[in-house]
């Protein structure tokens, strides 16, 4: 099919063997402790341990193809081409489709050179047949990789309709640490922009503005706390840089929290693919919530980096996506991580990036006051109206024998018991599944049955009867009325539970059972309505989809 002199053919085969050996050596290098260069903002794959095994296996597989090609060019070319195909699937699971095409092309090159050498001494019909087979491989790669990309990295529901707001001086901003008298904003400026950052807040109905300056320091983001605000009041805000008002992304609105008996709504979610721009974020904003509680896996970067800048980059990626950016400019967030936004899959206190991600969280996230401000886990608690919210860090203190670590466990039990006596309602934001039969070693609370029983026994001993749990991690909406949440010794420690996920990941049911059932899938979230008349508190737990379907709903009343 392609006329080639015999001397050129021999050079082609030699070049193919050398390129094949180089490819095998490169894969072997990637299977060592030398980490391949990955964009931490967009990576979303397996853990490093899986990478090592896969790259080493493919290095050996390519080497087999090279050895075959030394004697039999076409079988060797087929082995190398199939290695390119299968590694392409893996790379697409790990990285982007563009990277997949580059890797596939580099690995396919020796197969192409070997085919050119082989076909020069064959009839055109045999060359055409082999070329057709290569075309089938290419089509299989394209459609197979596309399906894998959609399954592991692609959206689970339609994209948001939110327009992308041009950046002026502010690249991103999000609100958090909402209180009855103030709010915190963390601001990232466009690259190369510097200056004094201020947050200007004024009542939406009119009135004198409040101006707060960012605190000084070495953090790359600018943190501003606007205080002295009026409870339960709508405010507009804008960011100023050196006294100049931002005309783009540095503008938004929020409502301060109520003080005393009051009714309010908040939304709950977890588990969104890295860089998601799904319509579920439009749906969260459309609920007009007071705040947004995110219970982890806010991205899936799966980082093991020891550089805080890499973890900041993963946050900045989601903060500039139109749908998420629009949500964070109008709904303050409360957030604790789970495994994929803390480290790699199922990561714990021995994660190599533990210190770095703890630092990045404190630099970038507008969090409520942490129990340990300078360094440590990110557990925290805050009050809205007469409701106490308690958020736990289920990752950075975890070992083989404890989910929370001794100090955080002691704090949690004390906080839940004390808050149940001083507040009308307690809501525990727990990032991982609570239900399930004991299974030591499992990732959720069923993997730590003794610690779970210790908490449940403390709740039962204190006769805590005004607790509600909201949870994430499992890619499902699920609701339990307390029938399956009691793990106390005397059987008196149950409480209502709402699972609220996945925002934009494929469906998965974990643990259980759940009295009202489990509904796996992406584009899903929770809504919690609190109605407090000063005598009783009614809490309605709802699980919804991005397009407005109510999957489950139940109301619980506490005196």
């Amino acid at each position: 099919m392609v006329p080639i002199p015999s001397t050129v053919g021999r050079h082609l085969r030699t070049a193919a063997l050398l390129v094949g050996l180089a490819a095998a050596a490169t894969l072997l290098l990637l299977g060592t402790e030398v980490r391949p260069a990955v964009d931490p903002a967009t990576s979303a794959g397996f853990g490093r341990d899986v990478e090592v095994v896969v790259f080493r296996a493919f290095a050996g597989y390519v080497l087999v193809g090279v050895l075959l090609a030394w004697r039999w060019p076409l079988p060797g070319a087929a082995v190398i081409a199939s290695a390119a195909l299968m590694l392409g699937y893996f790379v697409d699971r790990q990285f982007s489709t563009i990277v997949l095409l580059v890797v596939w092309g580099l690995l396919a090159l020796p197969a192409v050179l070997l085919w050119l050498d082989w076909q020069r001494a064959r009839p055109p019909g045999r060359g055409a047949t082999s070329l057709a087979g290569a075309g089938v491989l290419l089509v299989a790669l394209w459609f197979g990789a596309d399906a894998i990309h959609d399954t592991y990295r692609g959206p689970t529901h339609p994209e948001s309709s939110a327009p992308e707001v041009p950046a002026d001086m502010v690249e991103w901003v999000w609100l958090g640490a909402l209180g009855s008298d103030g709010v915190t904003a963390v601001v990232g400026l466009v690259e190369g922009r510097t200056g004094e950052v201020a947050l200007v807040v004024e009542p939406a109905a009119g009135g004198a503005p409040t101006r707060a300056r960012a605190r000084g320091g070495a953090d790359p983001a600018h943190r501003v706390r606007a205080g002295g605000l009026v409870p339960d009041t709508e405010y507009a805000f804008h960011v100023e840089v050196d006294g100049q008002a931002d005309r783009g992304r540095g503008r938004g609105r929020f409502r301060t929290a109520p003080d005393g008996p009051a009714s309010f709504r908040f939304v709950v979610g977890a588990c969104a693919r890295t860089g998601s721009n799904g319509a579920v974020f439009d749906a969260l904003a459309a609920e007009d919530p007071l705040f947004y509680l995110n219970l982890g896996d806010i991205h899936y970067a799966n980082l093991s980096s020891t550089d805080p800048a890499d973890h900041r980059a993963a946050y900045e990626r989601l903060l500039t996506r139109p749908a998420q950016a629009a949500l964070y400019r109008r709904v303050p967030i409360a957030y604790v991580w789970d495994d994929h936004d803390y480290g790699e899959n199922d990561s714990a206190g021995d994660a190599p990036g533990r210190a770095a991600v703890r630092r990045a969280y404190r630099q970038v996230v507008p969090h409520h006051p942490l129990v340990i401000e300078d360094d440590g886990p990110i557990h925290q608690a805050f009050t809205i109206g007469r409701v106490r919210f308690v958020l736990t860090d289920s990752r950075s203190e975890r070992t083989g024998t404890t989910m929370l670590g001794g100090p955080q466990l002691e704090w949690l039990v004390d906080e839940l018991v004390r808050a149940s006596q001083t507040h009308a309602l307690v809501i525990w934001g727990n990032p991982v599944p609570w239900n399930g039969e004991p299974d030591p070693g499992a990732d959720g609370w069923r993997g730590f049955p003794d610690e779970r029983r210790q908490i449940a026994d403390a709740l039962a001993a204190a006769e805590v009867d005004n607790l509600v749990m909201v949870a994430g991690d499992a890619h499902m909406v699920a609701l339990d009325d307390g029938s399956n949440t009691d793990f106390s010794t005397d059987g008196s420690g149950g409480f209502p539970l709402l699972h609220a996920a996945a925002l934009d990941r494929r469906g998965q049911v974990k643990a259980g059972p759940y009295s009202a059932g489990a509904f796996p899938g992406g584009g899903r979230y929770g809504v919690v309505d609190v109605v407090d008349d000063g005598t009783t508190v009614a809490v309605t737990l709802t699980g919804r989809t991005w397009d407005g379907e109510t999957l489950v709903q139940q109301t619980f009343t506490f005196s």
Side-chain angles (χ1 to χ4, degrees), residues 485-503:
T485 61
D486 182 11
F487 295 96
S488 63
T489 304
D490 66 2
S492 63
F495 46 79
L497 162 65
L498 174 67
H499 264 285
L503 292 167

Side-chain angles (χ1 to χ4, degrees), residues 183-272:
V183 73
T184 295
V186 179
V187 181
L189 301 182
V190 298
E191 187 175 358
R193 180 78 195 201
T194 60
E196 184 182 72
V197 173
L199 184 69
V200 180
V201 178
E202 52 189 325
T210 298
R211 179 177 279 98
R213 291 184 175 85
R215 70 184 190 188
D219 287 351
H222 302 266
R223 184 177 300 269
V224 192
R225 179 69 183 178
L229 306 183
V230 179
D232 198 18
T233 300
E234 187 83 14
Y235 283 90
F237 76 87
H238 68 265
V239 176
E240 289 184 351
V241 182
D242 285 337
Q244 182 180 353
D246 185 84
R247 296 168 296 177
R249 301 174 183 176
R251 294 178 174 273
R253 301 172 74 90
F254 68 94
R255 174 175 288 274
T256 50
D259 189 13
S263 301
F264 60 92
R265 164 179 288 185
F266 68 96
V267 289
V268 191
C271 308

